[in-house]
Amino acid sequence: MAEGGAPFLRLDTWLWHARLAKTKGECARLIEGGGFRLNRQPVTKAHARIRQGDVLTYLWREEVRVWRVLALGERRGPPAEARTLYEDVPQTEQ
């Protein structure tokens, strides 16, 4: 989807494509529970827009994870395909 600019995807949908959780509903609950930052800004809305190049920071199993969005994805594919949607950003690069 695009609206007068770069294409975007809902954050919950993108997380589902990236296989962070098994369902979109579970992804939405994770976001609404807090602990996610999109380009350093706190995010608690599942409908937040994520774009290629954005940086997503979140707490996962007591570890801070930082991902740079490489692609939006068109579907929830196999894990190997999901890993092409993002790259891990080393903690020193933040």
Side-chain angles (χ1 to χ4, degrees):
M1 289 184 253
E3 189 175 282
F8 67 89
L9 204 58
R10 285 176 54 118
L11 181 55
D12 60 343
T13 301
W14 187 85
L15 290 174
W16 183 64
H17 287 179
R19 301 184 72 89
L20 189 68
K22 289 184 179 184
T23 67
K24 279 179 56 178
E26 189 177 341
C27 291
R29 285 188 292 281
L30 287 170
I31 297 163
E32 291 163 1
F36 280 81
R37 290 180 173 264
L38 186 56
N39 299 322
R40 297 187 177 191
Q41 299 299 314
V43 176
T44 57
K45 302 291 184 186
H47 65 265
R49 295 176 178 181
I50 193 163
R51 294 176 169 85
Q52 187 174 356
D54 284 349
V55 175
L56 182 66
T57 307
Y58 63 97
L59 184 65
W60 187 252
R61 297 183 179 139
E62 301 191 25
E63 179 185 345
V64 175
R65 305 291 306 266
V66 182
W67 285 353
R68 180 172 292 115
V69 177
L70 299 178
L72 297 179
E74 305 221 356
R75 66 185 188 124
R76 180 180 166 92
E81 183 179 318
R83 286 189 296 272
T84 67
L85 300 181
Y86 61 88
E87 69 178 344
D88 282 305
V89 177
Q91 296 294 330
T92 58
E93 215 179 291
Q94 296 177 15

